[in-house]
Amino acid sequence: MAEKIILKAENLSVNFKVRKRVLKAIRNVSLELRESETLAIVGESGSGKSVLTKTFTGMLESNGYIPEGRIEYNGKILSDLKKDKEWDGIRGKEIATIFQDPMTSLNPIKTIGSQISEVIVKHHGASKKEAKQIAIDLMSRTGIPNADKRYNEYPFQYSGGMRQRIVIAIALACRPKILICDEPTTALDVTIQAQILDLIKELQEEFQFTTIFITHDLGVVAAIADRVAVMYAGQIIETGTVEDIFYNPKHPYTWSLLSSLPQLGERGGDLFSIPGTPPSLYHDVIGDAFAPRNPYAMEIDFKEEPPMFKVSDSHYAKTWLMDPRAPHAEKPELIQNLHERFLELSKHEITQSFYEGGDLASGK
Ligand SMILES: Nc1ncnc2c1ncn2[C@@H]1O[C@H](COP(=O)(O)OP(=O)(O)OP(=O)(O)O)[C@@H](O)[C@H]1O
Ligand SMILES: [Mg+2]
């Protein structure tokens, strides 16, 4: 696959000033986003998923800055943009974001319709009348029944799932090239989550945008993504296709994440959870950040940061276990035969099963 690279981050770091201290939230990350793909970013809370993608739209809080590295999009160096004005043609228009809580993106005292139309008038220079028609059409396409009636309603008259559909409609009103979905379904109940995921997939086929999908739910990843980037303590520690990450994971942190898949726990039994906590990012991390929690850690893991090793053309892993001198370590038994468990299920069935607590572990 010789896809076009639409966005590229190179050796990117992000720091936050917190009183007199500096928190190193993103530490030297490189990432290529390919046109029309869905890239999932996974990792525990605080690993840097949101901060990394906020740099793509210049939305870091004011105490955040990029001390080194660059972000290139469509010939523009985004990491050089400073003022809001410089982001005008890009943020929302070319690169749009959907957040977890739709209420944060909607104005509670304006009608749903006017909020969509506003964007269409602003970005497309359409007349108010034209904008209304486009808005109603978009509302229908994102699955709002009776869109022409509901155009005049307010956000509080919509359910959570319907509000998220509206946020998606607003994001798509600008025909963005890249849609960043930052845990867009986490706040919704399970059946609605699956519907919103299906909607995003359908719209992506229709509008052909590139998607970055942030989640800490690996079930969602299997259902929606082409490629996966696994983040830990401000770094991407493994990246590959969904197949690479599920069936041939190389980093012990990825092993741990996979071991905590809900479907692998005994029904009613305890889920595997990763013991320990990530390191403080106020201090320089020495060695592999995961070492203290890693049962496979070697001496070198505590001393030297591993490089990104190439596993295959599509697959990279930042662990000393990939060094030819390392002893052989086998992934945990629990995740040995994920392939067989997933193979027969279509992606849609995987989503359904994850949301309905289906029993993949027994292969049913
Ligand atoms: N404005 C800020 N000031 C100081 N620290 C921040 C700020 N924003 C984020 N951080 C820190 O940066 C790190 C990465 O945060 P980020 O929000 O990207 O995590 P995340 O992976 O998105 O987590 P979650 O899954 O909880 O959303 C965390 O340690 C967080 O506390
Ligand atoms: Mg986040």
Side-chain angles (χ1 to χ4, degrees), residues 132-148:
K132 181 173 178 181
Q133 208 39 60
I134 299 172
I136 290 174
D137 183 45
L138 263 173
M139 286 170 70
S140 310
R141 283 210 251 174
T142 50
I144 308 285
N146 302 320
D148 47 347

Side-chain angles (χ1 to χ4, degrees), residues 14-18 23-26 41-54 60-64 100 182-183 214-216 231 233-234 279-282:
V14 176
N15 291 354
F16 289 103
K17 274 195 201 118
V18 185
L23 183 144
K24 296 184 177 171
I26 300 295
I41 303 182
V42 293
E44 278 167 300
S45 187
S47 56
K49 305 180 297 292
S50 297
V51 169
L52 174 64
T53 51
K54 278 180 187 174
L60 287 178
E61 285 84 5
S62 58
N63 63 331
Q100 180 174 326
D182 192 345
E183 313 230 17
I214 298 176
T215 177
H216 42 242
M231 288 194 74
S280 162
L281 298 175
Y282 283 112

Side-chain angles (χ1 to χ4, degrees), residues 76-310:
K76 296 180 197 88
I77 309 301
L78 300 186
S79 42
D80 286 346
L81 305 184
K82 295 264 153 27
K83 298 187 195 91
D84 271 349
K85 218 177 162 21
E86 299 176 293
W87 281 99
D88 255 0
I90 297 170
R91 182 193 302 147
K93 193 159 168 53
E94 301 225 1
I95 309 178
T97 311
I98 305 171
F99 294 103
Q100 180 174 326
D101 178 6
M103 266 326 239
T104 58
S105 315
L106 294 172
N107 185 336
I109 59 165
K110 280 188 176 169
T111 64
I112 291 289
S114 66
Q115 298 187 54
I116 308 175
S117 296
E118 223 167 62
V119 175
I120 297 167
V121 170
K122 185 174 163 207
H123 287 296
H124 297 291
S127 72
K128 278 202 171 154
K129 206 172 150 209
E130 285 164 348
K132 181 173 178 181
Q133 208 39 60
I134 299 172
I136 290 174
D137 183 45
L138 263 173
M139 286 170 70
S140 310
R141 283 210 251 174
T142 50
I144 308 285
N146 302 320
D148 47 347
K149 274 217 193 83
R150 305 213 68 179
Y151 183 90
N152 294 313
E153 292 182 353
Y154 290 86
F156 74 88
Q157 292 170 291
Y158 279 62
S159 66
M162 288 291 161
R163 278 184 215 131
Q164 197 59 298
R165 288 173 191 268
I166 295 299
V167 173
I168 293 170
I170 293 175
L172 294 182
C174 302
R175 298 291 169 108
K177 299 276 191 297
I178 300 176
L179 185 67
I180 299 171
C181 304
D182 192 345
E183 313 230 17
T185 62
T186 311
L188 303 172
D189 76 52
V190 287
T191 39
I192 309 294
Q193 291 191 6
Q195 290 172 12
I196 296 286
L197 281 190
D198 282 343
L199 173 67
I200 292 172
K201 274 195 290 187
E202 269 168 47
L203 293 169
Q204 192 186 21
E205 262 163 43
E206 186 179 340
F207 292 93
Q208 295 288 314
F209 48 82
T210 306
T211 310
I212 298 180
F213 201 100
I214 298 176
T215 177
H216 42 242
D217 185 341
L218 277 166
V220 170
V221 173
I224 200 166
D226 303 307
R227 284 198 313 133
V228 186
V230 182
M231 288 194 74
Y232 188 77
Q235 297 190 322
I236 291 177
I237 54 93
E238 183 158 9
T239 161
T241 63
V242 170
E243 286 73 20
D244 293 333
I245 299 297
F246 273 73
Y247 310 137
N248 189 25
K250 293 295 183 191
H251 198 292
Y253 177 64
T254 313
W255 296 350
S256 296
L257 272 187
L258 287 166
S259 302
S260 43
L261 273 166
Q263 277 61 34
L264 299 181
E266 298 276 315
R267 276 227 170 151
D270 283 342
L271 265 184
F272 172 84
S273 70
I274 309 169
T277 49
S280 162
L281 298 175
Y282 283 112
H283 304 286
D284 283 334
V285 176
I286 295 164
D288 181 325
F290 189 56
R293 302 169 79 185
N294 178 6
Y296 306 86
M298 301 173 286
E299 220 179 300
I300 191 166
D301 282 300
F302 294 92
K303 292 184 175 153
E304 223 178 298
E305 184 179 328
M308 205 35 123
F309 286 95
K310 181 173 178 173

